[in-house]
Amino acid sequence: MTPMRTEVAIIGAGPSGLLLSHLLAHDGVESVVLETRSREYVESRIRAGILESSTVELFDAVGLGERLHREGSEHRGIYLQWPHERHHLDFLDLAGRSVWLYGQSEVQKDLGRAREAAGQEIHYEVSDTEVHDPGSDRPYVTYRDAEGNDSRVDADVIVGCDGSFGPSRAAVPDSARRTWERSYPHSWLGILADVAPSTDELIYAWHPDGFALHSMRTAHVSRFYLQVAPGTDLADWSDDRIWEALATRLGHGQDGWQLDPGPITDRSVLPMRSFVMEPMRYGRLFLAGDAAHIVPPTGAKGLNLAMADVALLAPALAALLRKKDPALADSYSDRALRRVWRCTHFSWWMTTMLHAGPDPFDTQLQLSQLRWVAGSRAGATGLAENYAGLPIG
């Protein structure tokens, strides 16, 4: 086995891994990307759909925004709702920033095509990936390639963009890290449906039966979520039951508004938790995205946090490897974690405000909070600033 040699070995070819390789290439830094799944799989995963203004600005700056602006949809804000009340929060008016609706699968395709055109070396369908000697100046990664051959990549730096269950996080010794975690007492049942959206903006709805979210993917495909109990069995939720629950929680018939049902093409149950690991670096191993932190999806932060991580990390690695200047690399974890904790708090705040529970005291607190956010410009501005996205850096 003859080892490959590169400057940066990136584990994970999801959006953060491919964006990092793209940004590094702009600075003349070579990388190799390793991915457990096939390219077809990672490009078809149904994930996040909201891009913050700062994420869109980043994509535009590095030549990745053309299809986003052509096929994506800019949204001025969201609707915040509870029974007999629906209020529009205009992010542009409140915070001067909008968000874009553009699915993670489309981001993935754009990045994949850009990296393919640039000749990026990406190895899909690898297995048994392992990080070695991350605390030394000579880290390396071993893996088995798609043909079953044992392989190795020697690198100056390794970056883990491989999510919660990849080998990168596990390569950091327990003695060198701290973790914080919270599991929430509810999950989301998510569906995709071949039906035009029944709303022009996303609807976030508190209801005594549970939270509901009306989102969308295209002009002809809608995305919906329902609060359900952890461990929910999809077999217990027929199409009719799903549409009935959505109609009830989203206010079908309220002020003449109608929810249009359609054929359900995909369904899944998503557990909800928060997780943060500090630091996001161990020696020559750096972590980004879900490898270092997880947020519940209520605040639309997961993908955007991963993009912000690599936007900070790429220039830090370029300075380290090209200029032999370690300052940005040494401060990467602290700088990234400031944004991580802000977004973790916002995601927790949205989650606890919008998800119904059994305690009637908590219910009254939630309704009071919703009325304040919808009725106070200061409250609405706080939500808008966090949802539309804080500056990167």
Side-chain angles (χ1 to χ4, degrees), residues 65-143:
E66 188 274 330
R67 193 165 75 95
L68 187 164
H69 286 279
R70 176 163 41 88
E71 300 182 15
S73 175
E74 186 176 15
H75 284 244
R76 291 185 65 100
I78 61 170
Y79 292 106
L80 198 60
Q81 175 179 307
W82 58 98
H84 312 297
E85 298 272 356
R86 179 180 291 172
H87 300 269
H88 185 247
L89 305 186
D90 189 313
F91 296 165
L92 275 174
D93 175 56
L94 292 163
R97 299 192 296 277
S98 63
V99 296
W100 281 77
L101 195 69
Y102 193 64
Q104 178 173 318
S105 58
E106 303 310 308
V107 172
Q108 184 74 40
K109 291 171 188 174
D110 292 344
L111 285 163
R113 291 166 187 163
R115 301 317 303 138
E116 182 178 42
Q120 174 69 49
E121 186 170 357
I122 307 174
H123 298 268
Y124 289 99
E125 298 183 81
V126 307
S127 59
D128 300 329
T129 307
E130 188 173 350
V131 176
H132 301 268
D133 297 339
S136 76
D137 290 335
R138 300 189 176 205
Y140 64 98
V141 181
T142 57
Y143 65 97

Side-chain angles (χ1 to χ4, degrees), residues 297-357:
T298 325
K301 292 295 150 212
L303 174 62
N304 292 289
L305 268 179
M307 300 295 96
D309 286 349
V310 298
L312 292 175
L313 184 55
L317 296 182
L320 177 67
L321 299 173
R322 285 286 176 266
K323 302 176 183 178
K324 307 304 179 185
D325 181 355
L328 285 177
D330 289 344
S331 65
Y332 162 69
S333 180
D334 288 342
R335 290 183 297 128
L337 282 165
R338 282 196 292 270
R339 199 175 202 274
V340 167
W341 277 114
R342 172 86 298 274
C343 292
T344 297
H345 178 269
F346 177 67
S347 300
W348 165 85
W349 179 76
M350 288 282 285
T351 300
T352 54
M353 179 173 66
L354 287 163
H355 288 74

Side-chain angles (χ1 to χ4, degrees), residues 212-283:
L213 171 61
H214 184 340
S215 183
M216 58 281 285
R217 282 295 176 265
T218 70
H220 308 288
V221 177
S222 296
R223 183 76 159 145
F224 298 92
Y225 295 98
L226 286 166
Q227 176 186 342
V228 295
T232 289
D233 187 346
L234 284 173
D236 295 334
W237 285 80
S238 66
D239 289 12
D240 287 345
R241 184 184 179 190
I242 289 171
W243 287 116
E244 181 180 354
L246 286 167
T248 298
R249 300 184 194 185
L250 290 170
H252 180 86
Q254 180 177 310
D255 296 328
W257 182 79
Q258 301 280 331
L259 174 66
D260 295 325
I264 295 174
T265 59
D266 183 84
R267 69 190 74 203
S268 60
V269 173
L270 174 67
M272 301 183 72
R273 66 189 182 109
S274 298
F275 174 90
V276 180
M277 187 184 105
E278 295 186 6
M280 293 171 57
R281 175 191 183 181
Y282 175 69

Side-chain angles (χ1 to χ4, degrees), residues 197-209:
S198 300
T199 178
D200 59 332
E201 304 271 30
L202 279 70
I203 302 173
Y204 283 76
W206 181 96
H207 191 276
D209 291 352

Side-chain angles (χ1 to χ4, degrees), residues 138-181:
R138 300 189 176 205
Y140 64 98
V141 181
T142 57
Y143 65 97
R144 185 161 294 152
D145 68 21
E147 288 73 43
N149 302 309
D150 290 331
S151 302
R152 170 173 166 163
V153 179
D154 290 339
D156 297 310
V157 167
I158 299 171
V159 180
C161 299
D162 48 344
S164 304
F165 305 106
S168 300
R169 183 195 296 176
V172 180
D174 290 342
S175 60
R177 61 179 174 175
R178 297 180 66 194
T179 60
W180 292 262
E181 187 168 8

